[in-house]
Amino acid sequence: MSDLIRASLDHCVKCTICESFCPVSQVTPLFPGPKYAGPQAERYRGIGVSPDSSIDYCSGCGICTTVCPQDVKIAEINSRARAKLWEERGIPLRNQLIARPSVLGRLGNPVAPLANWALHNRAVRSLVQSVIGVHRDAPMPRFAGRTFQKRSRTHAGAADAPAVVYFHGCGTNFYEPILGEMVVAVLEHNGFRVIIPRQDCCGLPLQSNGNFPAARSYVRRLVANLAPYARQGLPIVANSTSCGLMLKREAHEILGMDDEDLKAVSGSMFDLMEFLLGLHDRGELRTDFGSLPLTVPYHAPCQQRGHGIGKPALDLLALVPDLDTIELEVDCCGIAGTYGLKKEKYEISMAVGKRLFDDIRATGSDIAACDSETCRWQIAHGADVSAVHPVELLHRAYGLDTNGSRRAHAGAAGRRERSGS
Amino acid sequence: MSSLEADVLVIGGGSTGAGVARDAALRGFTTILVERRDLVDGTTGRFHGLLHSGGRYAVKDPSAAVECIAENRILRRVAADCLEDTGGLFVATPWDDPDYGDLFVKGCEATGVPAEEIPVAEALRREPRLNAEIRRAFVVPDAALDPWKLVWGCARSAEQHGARILPYHRVLDLEVVDQRVLGALVRDEHSGEEFRIHSKVVVNAAGAWAGQIATLAGCVVNVRAGMGVMIAMNHRIVNSAVNRLKFPADGDILLPLRTACVIGTTDVFVPDPDDTEIGRDAVDLLLDEGEKLVPGFREARALHAWAGVRPLFEDTRDVAETRDVTRSHALLDHMAREGVAGFVTITGGKTTTFRLMAEVAVDAVCRQLGVERRCTTAEEPLPGSESHTLYGLDTRLAAREPVPQSEEIICECELITRSRLEQTIKRRATTNLDDIRRLLRLAMGPCQGGFCIYRATGILHHGDRVDHTEANRALVSFLEERWKGLHPILHGDQLRQARLDDWIFQGILDVEHLPA
């Protein structure tokens, strides 16, 4: 399989469409661009380690592969080259740490108040920047204290309803459990029983930080938990676009995994918005939406476009009376998972996102919608707005928001805090 | 009519001629080399690029095998910068005679070619795309040889020792007086000027054209032209030279050469070494043989096909199969053969043994001149190879790395910067972009010039030397030359590329109607 990724470089006709869409090479000379680093440089990569360490400045957003009209697996070639680079040089401690969200979550959540104080304290963050290399201004979510898994353990749905399996991912579990509850509520509102299997990280951050062996272990563990449901024919829905994509496509295409469990899970995996729009297409989605007089700019994250499903959130939000969405045309917010956290890449990440932030601000709205958690955290940080998952708007429009507050939780993607807390 | 004087006049600018010129110059002879076209434009520039370990000849032609391994070791020292240490494999596919492996082992032992058998699993680990059905695998010290660097390295070294290297100088006649060759009448193909070169000895190193040259001195050299077709694939499908474990036959070598991968070759007698039409059957045969080595080979992108002509020397007539002709070289002293003094022909052989051929030729020159001067080409490194560091595939990528976007790249596939191109155009003082291609690998990547050649033409025209008419001509003649190697393999990805290139050149630039 991995050879087919490499072999896809044969399809490149040098049209340069990928280069003109690459958000990173547009703002920094440190990354030479996807065509250069991908189908071109790959021809210079033999058995040894490649000399082009500039590959590490690829954020892995995947836009190049999405826009390539010749089906060159540019981002995948680059991911593999990056992994080989780090395999040779040894992955820095920083990258090993930030690539394990579930480990961080298990450490941070029990001491959430302290951890949150520390992660948002200037002095501590300066220290972290100099010792570990995580940029002191990079957006950090807040530990929720009680994980989604714990919160949902006592939750019982209607036993006789058709079942759907919920893959919530680490972001929901440790930082945004209330988002997870909204997902469950929306699915139940549509007549489903939501199964929430035990689950750990999908390995994506490890993959994008070049630790393929560890990433594969995470994938294997996760799909072992999910595969029995897939084999029963149950759909699996994910509200994290990147984690969903990992199981749909990337574990196979980038990590080269061909496990039977993975195949079963890949075939049953739906992005949450894709799933809901599918229901609507079949006339099965409840459309008892109440009025939501809001104007919300919407950003489709890069990884969501990797699903190849269009922008289902826009179609769904259009069903809500009085809700205006503004489709943002900038491709990337810059964060690319853990990329923008790194001290040497933070400025690049913010420069990539600048046009998006400007466009959001220009709408005058103090809320923006985006499917991916790390992108929401970046948008909240860069554009100084509340960033919500589109399902949160559906949740409100369905009137499921029992306490009536505009944001049900002090979400991680809340507006940037200005005080020196 | 002006004239030049030299001890030694070398005819032929391939590896043999350049090797002879260098050897003669190093031994202190005043030397002139003439070549009717550009250096490395003939057989040497059209071979597959394999520096043989000798394994290929270990069973069939043991003396050739002995020469190959000896020269292989020497060239790794003196021509290091022209070589990449890819290593080589001999693998037995299900189509190959299973008994040949044992003959191979015996042959290698007898000829001193190091061949180590490795488990099939290990061979597949090294070369994951190889056919998993292979039954045996041997590791040999093959290497990839860059013929352009090699010949230009020899030419520069010869110049450093006083030689004159004259590409685009065609020999019109040899001057023979009283059974002695006194020199040649040559024509500068650029200026049209004709002049004489007087020499003490003429070395005929014209390869497959050696018979034509010998005729000018009234001598007979039976060199037959064995045409071989090769196809370059778009990227390295293998990283080591892969040979089939069987008697040498068509399409049994697949080797990495710089950024590409070459499958070769075929072998057909052609009456005229300048007439090498690539037939569809040859292309099909090579792709089929490639498929046996690497499943999926036919779907991989073929970049370019070309044909070279081996000089196959025969002293007896009626040889039906060119592969039965020895691959060892032939030194013909025409004094001994026909009583013609001052004339030596060196032909046959192969690029791997070019240095040895040059040595024996210049030894013959010494004998003719009655002097004894020792050959030093086995010790003296070529310019650029002084550190004995072998070339690495990633050299060009590494050179760009410190500041990847620091300079404009003209040829993106082969990573040629604007300054490198400008310097080379200036140094060669040529208007022929194909000359530049051979020096820099310009336009030899996937797009085959689609994006770089109009840029290079603009740069050529940018100085004062080349007016728009000449620049336009350079562009069109380059495209015509590239097309010869493209049309035989056009399918799949390369066809798509050719369509895009066609839109650029016909649609945007309208190259067939450029102002003259």
Side-chain angles (χ1 to χ4, degrees):
Chain A
M1 180 63 215
S2 54
D3 282 316
L4 293 181
I5 295 294
R6 175 176 160 88
S8 78
L9 77 87
D10 275 357
H11 309 323
C12 177
V13 293
K14 325 291 283 190
C15 69
T16 310
I17 287 173
C18 59
E19 303 254 303
S20 57
F21 275 84
C22 175
V24 177
S25 60
Q26 279 170 28
V27 299
T28 175
L30 295 171
F31 180 55
K35 180 178 75 170
Y36 180 100
Q40 269 172 213
E42 185 65 18
R43 295 176 72 241
Y44 292 84
R45 296 189 184 115
I47 40 178
V49 71
S50 184
D52 58 329
S53 45
S54 56
I55 190 73
D56 192 50
Y57 278 92
C58 164
S59 77
C61 70
I63 290 175
C64 44
T65 295
T66 307
V67 299
C68 176
Q70 305 294 340
D71 207 16
V72 182
K73 301 288 182 191
I74 310 166
E76 291 78 359
I77 290 171
N78 292 345
S79 285
R80 290 178 48 211
R82 192 168 52 241
K84 203 170 162 192
L85 181 81
W86 288 120
E87 184 184 301
E88 183 76 12
R89 299 191 180 175
I91 299 170
L93 172 68
R94 188 250 337 251
N95 296 11
Q96 295 279 21
L97 277 176
I98 61 179
R100 288 179 165 81
S102 59
V103 173
L104 293 177
R106 276 194 285 273
L107 288 172
N109 260 314
V111 291
L114 179 66
N116 288 335
W117 171 82
L119 286 180
H120 297 86
N121 178 286
R122 295 290 296 169
V124 174
R125 287 294 297 273
S126 296
L127 188 68
V128 167
Q129 172 171 322
S130 56
V131 176
I132 299 185
V134 172
H135 197 283
R136 65 182 180 196
D137 295 327
M140 282 288 162
R142 294 182 154 269
F143 293 108
R146 222 163 111 76
T147 64
F148 175 68
Q149 282 273 331
K150 282 199 181 123
R151 282 164 169 262
S152 60
R153 204 162 291 161
T154 52
H155 180 84
D160 52 349
V164 59
V165 179
Y166 179 30
F167 167 43
H168 52 68
C170 300
T172 305
N173 195 34
F174 297 110
Y175 307 114
E176 300 181 333
I178 292 171
L179 169 63
E181 290 175 355
M182 292 188 218
V183 173
V184 172
V186 166
L187 289 167
E188 288 181 345
H189 184 69
N190 280 286
F192 288 97
R193 176 169 59 95
V194 182
I195 300 171
I196 304 165
R198 287 207 166 257
Q199 52 194 271
D200 200 342
C201 177
C202 66
L204 171 61
L206 283 159
Q207 173 195 289
S208 57
N209 281 285
N211 190 344
F212 281 15
R216 289 190 191 103
S217 311
Y218 272 101
V219 172
R220 257 179 232 116
R221 278 202 297 274
L222 178 58
V223 295
N225 285 348
L226 298 180
Y229 300 103
R231 293 202 176 94
Q232 290 169 37
L234 298 182
I236 305 171
V237 298
N239 62 293
S240 169
T241 49
S242 52
C243 306
L245 186 65
M246 179 72 173
L247 296 188
K248 251 188 189 176
R249 205 160 66 81
E250 292 191 345
H252 175 59
E253 293 190 356
I254 296 179
L255 299 178
M257 297 179 68
D258 273 322
D259 308 33
E260 290 305 317
D261 281 353
L262 176 62
K263 280 183 197 163
V265 171
S266 298
S268 304
M269 180 64 61
F270 295 87
D271 178 69
L272 175 64
M273 293 292 109
E274 175 191 19
F275 182 74
L276 294 177
L277 187 61
L279 292 181
H280 181 62
D281 289 345
R282 295 191 298 275
E284 295 166 10
L285 185 79
R286 284 180 63 172
T287 51
D288 52 339
F289 296 110
S291 164
L292 206 56
L294 283 175
T295 298
V296 181
Y298 170 75
H299 171 62
C302 311
Q303 303 284 356
Q304 193 252 15
R305 273 172 293 156
H307 285 257
I309 54 175
K311 296 181 179 177
L314 285 175
D315 295 331
L316 289 164
L317 295 177
L319 302 172
V320 176
D322 305 320
L323 176 62
D324 283 331
T325 49
I326 299 172
E327 183 179 358
L328 297 163
E329 285 175 3
V330 177
D331 288 322
C332 183
C333 73
I335 191 74
T338 58
Y339 183 85
L341 305 183
K342 297 165 185 171
K343 72 174 175 190
E344 73 281 10
K345 290 163 185 136
Y346 171 77
E347 301 293 344
I348 296 171
S349 149
M350 291 301 282
V352 167
K354 185 175 181 304
R355 275 174 53 225
L356 180 69
F357 308 148
D358 290 348
D359 286 359
I360 291 172
R361 282 200 207 91
T363 65
S365 173
D366 58 1
I367 184 170
C370 173
D371 312 64
S372 160
E373 61 276 14
T374 55
C375 305
R376 286 197 296 277
W377 303 337
Q378 170 88 338
I379 288 168
H381 171 66
D384 197 18
V385 293
S386 287
V388 299
H389 191 289
V391 80
E392 299 189 41
L393 299 170
L394 298 181
H395 182 262
R396 277 166 65 187
Y398 275 136
L400 301 169
D401 195 358
T402 45
N403 66 17
S405 69
R406 215 185 71 179
R407 262 186 85 76
H409 66 294
R415 297 172 72 132
R416 188 163 66 209
E417 287 162 58
R418 293 174 191 285
S419 67
S421 59
Chain B
M1 186 185 290
S2 63
S3 66
L4 295 172
E5 301 270 342
D7 294 331
V8 182
L9 170 62
V10 185
I11 301 170
S15 57
T16 313
V20 169
R22 176 179 191 237
D23 193 325
L26 281 172
R27 295 198 214 190
F29 296 114
T30 57
T31 305
I32 295 173
L33 180 148
V34 291
E35 158 62 45
R36 62 179 187 152
R37 293 196 299 231
D38 196 17
L39 297 193
V40 222
D41 194 21
T43 302
T44 306
R46 295 162 197 266
F47 95 125
H48 42 56
L50 175 61
L51 181 77
H52 285 285
S53 58
R56 182 173 177 82
Y57 304 109
V59 175
K60 190 171 177 185
D61 196 347
S63 64
V66 171
E67 285 175 8
C68 281
I69 187 61
E71 289 301 310
N72 179 304
R73 287 177 175 135
I74 290 170
L75 293 182
R76 281 168 187 267
R77 288 198 310 273
V78 302
D81 189 44
C82 312
L83 298 176
E84 188 193 335
D85 190 14
T86 59
L89 286 174
F90 275 80
V91 297
T93 71
W95 293 270
D96 303 329
D97 176 6
D99 296 333
Y100 184 81
D102 294 336
L103 291 176
F104 178 79
V105 171
K106 280 193 200 114
C108 287
E109 275 170 12
T111 53
V113 175
E116 182 202 346
E117 181 152 22
I118 58 169
V120 167
E122 170 63 14
L124 293 172
R125 194 193 59 76
R126 290 188 193 197
E127 296 298 347
R129 291 205 58 184
L130 274 187
N131 189 335
E133 302 298 312
I134 60 172
R135 292 160 179 159
R136 291 184 86 170
F138 293 84
V139 176
V140 295
D142 284 342
L145 172 63
D146 184 325
W148 299 283
K149 280 180 114 174
L150 181 76
V151 173
W152 279 103
C154 287
R156 283 190 193 115
S157 169
E159 284 178 328
Q160 285 166 8
H161 290 85
R164 291 193 65 177
I165 306 294
L166 303 176
Y168 292 106
H169 281 68
R170 180 184 289 271
V171 171
L172 301 175
D173 202 1
L174 292 176
E175 189 180 348
V176 188
V177 177
D178 296 335
Q179 291 287 89
R180 171 171 284 275
V181 177
L182 298 177
L185 174 67
V186 302
R187 181 175 68 213
D188 179 334
E189 298 281 61
H190 286 148
S191 68
E193 183 200 354
E194 292 182 10
F195 61 96
R196 288 190 187 281
I197 298 173
H198 300 293
S199 60
K200 292 174 182 159
V201 182
V202 170
V203 179
N204 172 14
W209 295 264
Q212 296 176 15
I213 294 294
T215 309
L216 300 176
C219 299
V220 176
V221 172
N222 280 323
V223 184
R224 296 187 73 178
M227 181 177 92
V229 175
M230 279 140 279
I231 299 174
M233 310 300 286
N234 181 45
H235 72 275
R236 286 189 167 202
I237 296 168
V238 290
N239 279 303
S240 41
V242 182
N243 309 261
R244 295 271 287 279
L245 188 63
K246 63 172 185 175
F247 275 98
D250 289 349
D252 58 356
I253 300 175
L254 174 63
L255 86 152
L257 187 62
R258 301 284 285 256
T259 48
C261 195
V262 177
I263 180 115
T265 170
T266 57
D267 202 347
V268 180
F269 275 133
V270 287
D272 177 359
D274 286 314
D275 185 9
T276 52
E277 180 85 26
I278 298 170
R280 186 174 164 170
D281 51 344
V283 171
D284 264 338
L285 182 147
L286 291 174
L287 295 179
D288 284 343
E289 293 304 308
E291 189 72 33
K292 291 175 186 170
L293 276 175
V294 174
F297 192 83
R298 268 188 170 278
E299 278 71 54
R301 177 172 177 176
L303 273 190
H304 199 88
W306 69 94
V309 282
R310 304 171 184 83
L312 298 166
F313 175 72
E314 330 171 331
D315 239 352
T316 52
R317 305 286 167 91
D318 307 323
V319 176
E321 287 284 325
T322 71
R323 286 201 196 281
D324 294 333
V325 178
T326 177
R327 290 296 156 84
S328 285
H329 57 264
L331 174 79
L332 310 176
D333 188 329
H334 296 284
M335 184 68 208
R337 284 168 68 91
E338 290 114 335
V340 175
F343 190 45
V344 170
T345 293
I346 179 80
T347 190
K350 51 195 139 328
T351 301
T352 298
T353 58
F354 88 99
R355 192 211 61 84
L356 177 65
M357 293 165 68
E359 179 177 342
V360 301
V362 181
D363 284 348
V365 168
C366 288
R367 285 195 298 277
Q368 290 247 351
L369 296 176
V371 295
E372 215 170 294
R373 294 183 187 174
R374 201 176 70 82
C375 171
T376 56
T377 54
E379 295 99 48
E380 281 287 320
L382 288 171
S385 295
E386 294 85 353
S387 68
H388 307 294
T389 310
L390 272 64
Y391 188 83
L393 166 66
D394 58 11
T395 304
R396 285 188 179 179
L397 192 62
R400 299 270 314 158
E401 187 53 23
V403 192
Q405 294 185 358
S406 59
E407 202 196 337
E408 232 180 310
I409 300 187
I410 303 303
C411 173
E412 296 168 34
C413 308
E414 294 297 321
L415 296 180
I416 300 165
T417 58
R418 182 175 183 129
S419 61
R420 183 111 193 260
L421 179 64
E422 284 173 341
Q423 285 158 15
T424 308
I425 289 174
K426 199 171 165 197
R427 182 159 49 78
R428 275 307 303 276
T430 179
T431 57
N432 186 341
L433 290 167
D434 216 35
D435 294 349
I436 305 299
R437 172 183 71 81
R438 280 185 289 273
L439 283 169
L440 294 181
R441 298 181 62 80
L442 179 72
M444 289 176 72
C447 78
Q448 291 286 296
F451 288 86
C452 63
I453 278 304
Y454 60 81
R455 296 173 186 157
T457 307
I459 290 167
L460 188 69
H461 175 52
H462 186 67
D464 299 332
R465 220 169 39 77
V466 179
D467 65 18
H468 75 274
T469 312
E470 275 182 295
N472 288 344
R473 201 181 301 136
L475 173 66
V476 172
S477 81
F478 187 90
L479 292 174
E480 284 169 353
E481 195 58 36
R482 281 281 90 183
W483 180 248
K484 286 182 198 164
L486 273 170
H487 77 86
I489 49 89
L490 275 188
H491 73 286
D493 288 320
Q494 199 60 18
L495 178 58
R496 216 185 311 243
Q497 180 77 57
R499 290 297 296 137
L500 178 58
D501 293 356
D502 198 48
W503 287 329
I504 293 172
F505 289 107
Q506 305 273 12
I508 300 172
L509 299 176
D510 195 15
V511 283
E512 286 179 29
H513 306 94
L514 292 174

